[in-house]
Amino acid sequence: MGKKIVIAGAGHGGLVAGMKLAAAGYDVTVYERKIRSQLGYDWEDAIDFRVFADCGLEPPQKEEYSFNGDMKFYNPNLKAPIVVSANGKGSAVFERSEIYDVLIDAAEKSGVKIIYSTEIIAPVMNGLRVTGIRTSDGVVNADLVIDAAGINSPLRRNLPVCSNVDRDYGYGECLYAYRAYFDKVEGHEPDVPYEIFLLHQGERGLSWVVTKETYVDVLIGRMAPMSDEKIEATLKEMREFSPQIGPTLLRGGTQEQIPVRRPLAVMVCDGYAAVGDSAFMTMPMTGSGICAAMRAGVMLADTVLEDKEERYTRETLWSYNRKYILHFGQNFAAIDILKNVMLCTEVEGVNFLFDKQIITENDISFGKGASDGGMGFAEVLSRGLRGVGNLPVLLRTAGALTKGDNVKKVYQSIPEVYDEPAVLKWKDDVLAATTLMKR
């Protein structure tokens, strides 16, 4: 015991893994490019309350918790919204700073050392093994490197091709999200507090307006970076539809990158494991990934502890990779298919799917359809008979939802042990099953 673990970036999953490993006697150090007060975004996040207990943590202590309620999804013409009921079980809403307070406090109490203001530059390699990280302060050697450095991780991006870890992402897999909190104009209460606009303004992406008691949370997300002029013009139009959005910016107002794609098929190699946004562990429709990352941190720590010979190779780390794919990855990959359908279908086609109730609450909320193969070719076509048909859109939607079911089956066939030919064959099958959209 006492092997040296280096965590690149103070991501949620990396902190959870580090906390558990340090408590077990490992020498764990986190290197983070930001200072403590800048961690995360100046945002709120809806969190499944159970994740804290799953990670052995106490939730943030508050006098009162707020919870997300029902959501209304609008199609581009705004004429046939779909309401998704929370059934009184909405997720608890926390500030990201509150979540970080819990994670950092627990990590440091377990013995994790956190070094701030240190830029991560690249992995240090010895043949095919990652043996440390190159930072702005020099080289740091390690027995295992945990990559929690985010969507643009310089570690993942600089791994050799033969690591079999995908190093980059493509069009439609990253959301450029502007998020801001404005004062609230009284007298304009929406019937549902959480409103989401798909293909907003006819563009690839989504926006939302979340109306709270004293403020309004606004997000504008697109598949390409937005200029300040574009953001201001979009806000002006959003205020016309949602007049509760006040003129005063209370906080936020920044544009960030969020992964919105299936997770990495292969997220480990010798001496290396990716977690959180570095491994694209987010819900592809919304970009929410804190809970998945935290639970993945537990899986990763458990896998490291199970490696009694302390080899930390792709063979011994594969258990973590496989467990995440089976618990979360297969569902997120299937949801990614539905997201891609929305992105590659023209505005008129998406309006048609909503207007004729071909896409329903169950599909949007992942209760059926793409999330567990509940809606396939025949049902989509039968729904299309409710109105004048749009055969190309129906066929594309039916094919995608059927493909979502097939994606889950492919993910479920992940090899039990790391045998490189078998893993590469499975990875090729994953690519074939998930390839749907081209720019």
Side-chain angles (χ1 to χ4, degrees), residues 7 25 57 64 139 193 205 237 243 259 290 297 309 335 359 366 381 385 388 397 420 437:
I7 302 176
L57 296 165
E64 185 176 345
V139 169
E237 181 179 305
I290 292 178
E309 297 181 6
I335 293 166
I359 295 294
F366 320 122
L381 289 181
L385 295 176
V388 176
T397 305
E420 185 163 29
M437 189 181 88

Side-chain angles (χ1 to χ4, degrees), residues 257-322:
Q257 289 179 266
I258 301 172
V260 283
R261 53 152 280 170
R262 66 194 181 280
L264 288 174
V266 177
M267 55 189 75
V268 300
C269 63
D270 291 351
Y272 171 93
V275 68
D277 284 3
S278 297
F280 309 122
M281 293 178 173
T282 57
M283 175 76 76
M285 274 285 196
T286 64
S288 175
I290 292 178
C291 289
M294 289 174 63
R295 289 182 168 118
V298 175
M299 296 175 186
L300 176 53
D302 288 344
T303 298
V304 172
L305 293 172
E306 289 166 1
D307 185 0
K308 301 303 182 184
E309 297 181 6
E310 299 180 330
R311 293 183 293 158
Y312 317 131
T313 62
R314 56 189 183 178
E315 288 83 7
T316 63
L317 294 169
W318 185 248
S319 173
Y320 154 67
N321 197 137
R322 187 172 188 272

Side-chain angles (χ1 to χ4, degrees), residues 203-257:
E203 298 182 23
R204 306 304 180 200
L206 59 83
S207 299
W208 77 43
V209 175
V210 183
T211 305
K212 300 295 185 74
E213 288 187 12
T214 59
Y215 61 90
V216 183
D217 171 6
V218 176
L219 179 139
I220 304 170
R222 299 293 184 267
M223 293 301 161
M226 297 170 286
S227 65
D228 291 343
E229 293 75 16
K230 170 62 179 175
I231 290 170
E232 285 303 317
T234 303
L235 285 171
K236 180 179 179 181
E237 181 179 305
M238 292 177 78
R239 287 188 173 98
E240 294 175 0
F241 186 81
S242 303
Q244 71 270 28
I245 304 173
T248 303
L249 176 66
L250 303 178
R251 61 190 178 101
T254 60
Q255 189 173 175
E256 308 290 349
Q257 289 179 266

Side-chain angles (χ1 to χ4, degrees), residues 52-346:
F52 295 103
D54 292 346
C55 297
L57 296 165
E58 291 292 329
Q61 298 303 305
K62 305 173 72 170
E63 291 185 3
E64 185 176 345
Y65 294 96
S66 62
F67 293 86
N68 267 355
D70 295 349
M71 296 182 289
K72 180 181 284 189
F73 288 80
Y74 285 93
N75 55 325
N77 67 17
L78 308 176
K79 294 180 179 179
I82 295 172
V83 176
V84 176
S85 174
N87 295 317
K89 299 178 181 179
S91 297
V93 177
F94 298 98
E95 295 285 344
R96 285 216 174 184
S97 59
E98 294 174 329
I99 302 170
Y100 265 115
D101 286 344
V102 168
L103 293 177
I104 290 176
D105 182 60
E108 290 181 333
K109 285 181 177 178
S110 297
V112 175
K113 299 176 286 294
I114 305 178
I115 300 176
Y116 298 100
S117 302
T118 302
E119 194 77 26
I120 311 298
I121 298 172
V124 176
M125 304 296 301
N126 182 2
L128 297 181
R129 186 179 182 90
V130 176
T131 59
I133 59 174
R134 192 176 305 279
T135 77
S136 54
D137 295 328
V139 169
V140 180
N141 294 316
D143 297 295
L144 172 65
V145 172
I146 295 175
D147 184 354
I151 181 174
N152 293 310
S153 167
L155 298 186
R156 189 195 68 243
R157 283 188 151 178
N158 286 288
L159 289 173
V161 174
C162 55
S163 71
N164 300 323
V165 177
D166 288 338
R167 296 176 294 174
D168 214 341
Y169 51 85
Y171 177 75
E173 298 181 341
C174 171
L175 189 72
Y176 294 84
Y178 167 88
R179 192 170 180 184
Y181 296 80
F182 293 94
D183 64 325
K184 180 181 176 183
V185 178
E186 297 299 331
H188 300 285
E189 294 289 340
D191 58 341
V192 172
Y194 200 144
E195 300 174 292
I196 301 174
F197 303 85
L198 303 176
L199 292 188
H200 187 220
Q201 298 180 319
E203 298 182 23
R204 306 304 180 200
L206 59 83
S207 299
W208 77 43
V209 175
V210 183
T211 305
K212 300 295 185 74
E213 288 187 12
T214 59
Y215 61 90
V216 183
D217 171 6
V218 176
L219 179 139
I220 304 170
R222 299 293 184 267
M223 293 301 161
M226 297 170 286
S227 65
D228 291 343
E229 293 75 16
K230 170 62 179 175
I231 290 170
E232 285 303 317
T234 303
L235 285 171
K236 180 179 179 181
E237 181 179 305
M238 292 177 78
R239 287 188 173 98
E240 294 175 0
F241 186 81
S242 303
Q244 71 270 28
I245 304 173
T248 303
L249 176 66
L250 303 178
R251 61 190 178 101
T254 60
Q255 189 173 175
E256 308 290 349
Q257 289 179 266
I258 301 172
V260 283
R261 53 152 280 170
R262 66 194 181 280
L264 288 174
V266 177
M267 55 189 75
V268 300
C269 63
D270 291 351
Y272 171 93
V275 68
D277 284 3
S278 297
F280 309 122
M281 293 178 173
T282 57
M283 175 76 76
M285 274 285 196
T286 64
S288 175
I290 292 178
C291 289
M294 289 174 63
R295 289 182 168 118
V298 175
M299 296 175 186
L300 176 53
D302 288 344
T303 298
V304 172
L305 293 172
E306 289 166 1
D307 185 0
K308 301 303 182 184
E309 297 181 6
E310 299 180 330
R311 293 183 293 158
Y312 317 131
T313 62
R314 56 189 183 178
E315 288 83 7
T316 63
L317 294 169
W318 185 248
S319 173
Y320 154 67
N321 197 137
R322 187 172 188 272
K323 188 178 296 184
Y324 182 82
I325 290 296
L326 293 177
H327 279 76
F328 296 102
Q330 60 170 318
N331 288 326
F332 285 6
I335 293 166
D336 193 32
I337 297 293
L338 181 58
K339 178 215 73 179
N340 286 342
V341 170
M342 294 297 178
L343 286 177
C344 66
T345 300
E346 296 303 318

